[in-house]
Amino acid sequence: MQETITIASRNFPADTAILAELRQFVGEVLSQLNLNAEALRNLELAVDEAAANVIEHAAKMFPGQIG
């Protein structure tokens, strides 16, 4: 049996102030995947860390253009 994958997409500003909102969005999307609580937390953390790094490093590379 073939599974259907639904892709969720949303744009967030490049500002660390949105990280809580991003975590909530990721949690809502991932909650549809029947993951155990530990896997869900690990994925939320990974996305949070990746987003924070992109925001931090992009802001350094493109001052005045990000955020």
Side-chain angles (χ1 to χ4, degrees), residues 3-40:
E3 291 187 42
T4 301
I5 297 173
T6 302
I7 300 196
S9 176
R10 182 166 167 203
N11 293 323
F12 291 90
D15 185 337
T16 55
I18 59 86
L19 291 175
E21 187 178 350
L22 174 63
R23 281 190 300 273
Q24 180 180 349
F25 173 73
V26 169
E28 290 170 5
V29 171
L30 293 176
S31 68
Q32 301 172 31
L33 299 178
N34 287 333
L35 299 172
N36 66 44
E38 182 180 4
L40 181 61

